[in-house]
Amino acid sequence: MACPFRCVFCNQQKISGHFKSPDFNEVTRTIRTYLNTFKAPNKQVEVGFFGGTFTGIPETIQEKYLETVQPFLQAGEIQGIRLSTRPDYIDKNILERLKHYGVTTIELGAQSLDDAVLKKSRRGHTAKQVEEAATQIKAAGFDLGLQMMIGLPGDTLEKSLATADKIIAWGASNTRIYPTLVIKDTVLHHWYKEGKYQPLSLDEAVNWSKSLLIKFENAGVQVIRMGLHPSEGLLNGEEWIAGPFHPSFRELVLTEIWYDLLTKHFDSQDKSFTAKQLNLEVSPKEINYAIGYSGKNRKMLQSFFREVRFYSNEKLDGREFRFHLT
């Protein structure tokens, strides 16, 4: 809803998997349905409004959507509201209205912070407008999210890394990394058919995202998502024409980070270790990524050792690991 532009990559209905906006009763039912599935005590729950330009829809409709959430906020069943919008749809009055209704996080679809990439992608705004909106959002006391895309027309790894640097510098607490896909009936679809646009390969997208994730982690910026949500149209290939889509994209990226870490450590080891068993201890949260998607990292280590076994160790944090040989 409300987006006045047709970016070259966008067919919002096909990307989101929804062809109409939910009515107000549906919002209430959806919130109640999901709350009934959350059993953990002291949970932190947010309601999110995504899939359009929220602050661009008529004020009365914005307010009706936000009003549906108020009973859940007042009862303490949810702790915040987040929404997505465009940087050119932010001003003082908008922010005051969102604050009044308990919105806590505003995500801007920045996509790129390189003006040449933005122009080629027909975004309709500049990097300067993103910076101005981000400054207003932070000053008003909201958490700021800045979403980015990689592999847009004219993009390079260096430009994407520069975009990440600006996301960090402008105070975002969170981000999302979306590899650009060629979706059916978009401008990119036509350009792709005409040979005017070539998306990143899956390997390229994974490697770019790996560098970006490490940069964001080092700066304390949470990467909420990597890769487009796998709607039915993407999974069955009806809407996805080309580009680096994978339903486990984040797992591929984390696998590569662990691959680099383990290769760097064990490739330099004494090759006499090939007769020994490697016992590798990893944090429970990281063990699947350490083993790797489809066991990639286990297979790599098996080229160095007679046998490789992974164990969870709750005392380890992040990507720390311990090992011993037997």
Side-chain angles (χ1 to χ4, degrees), residues 31-188:
I31 293 172
R32 176 57 61 200
T33 297
Y34 277 94
L35 282 175
N36 288 338
T37 70
F38 300 154
K39 304 302 181 184
N42 303 318
K43 55 188 177 295
Q44 294 293 310
V45 181
E46 295 176 311
V47 170
F49 291 99
F50 293 95
T53 303
F54 189 87
T55 58
I57 63 180
E59 291 180 18
T60 55
I61 298 179
Q62 289 184 51
E63 290 174 348
K64 285 182 180 179
Y65 274 126
L66 293 170
E67 284 168 0
T68 63
V69 186
Q70 300 311 299
F72 301 99
L73 271 175
Q74 292 162 7
E77 293 180 280
I78 69 168
Q79 285 69 50
I81 303 172
R82 67 191 306 133
L83 55 84
S84 64
T85 191
R86 289 173 56 91
D88 45 346
Y89 276 57
I90 290 291
D91 62 31
K92 181 180 178 181
N93 291 334
I94 288 171
L95 294 175
E96 287 178 352
R97 180 167 61 253
L98 298 181
K99 180 71 73 172
H100 171 74
Y101 283 102
V103 173
T104 47
T105 301
I106 300 173
E107 295 189 44
L108 298 179
Q111 318 313 7
S112 174
L113 295 172
D114 182 276
D115 280 332
V117 174
L118 290 172
K119 186 174 182 179
K120 288 181 179 180
S121 300
R122 302 181 186 176
R123 279 293 293 167
H125 64 76
T126 63
K128 183 65 175 177
Q129 286 174 288
V130 180
E131 182 179 16
E132 291 170 350
T135 299
Q136 291 182 70
I137 289 167
K138 290 286 292 181
F142 295 92
D143 281 338
L144 170 67
L146 289 173
Q147 304 169 3
M148 68 177 294
M149 296 180 68
I150 59 174
L152 288 166
D155 197 17
T156 63
L157 175 57
E158 290 71 28
K159 289 181 178 181
S160 283
L161 290 170
T163 288
D165 286 334
K166 291 178 181 178
I167 288 173
I168 294 165
W170 295 349
S173 64
N174 61 86
T175 187
R176 301 172 192 258
I177 302 171
Y178 295 118
T180 302
L181 305 181
V182 178
I183 303 298
K184 187 178 181 180
D185 298 332
T186 60
V187 175
L188 277 191

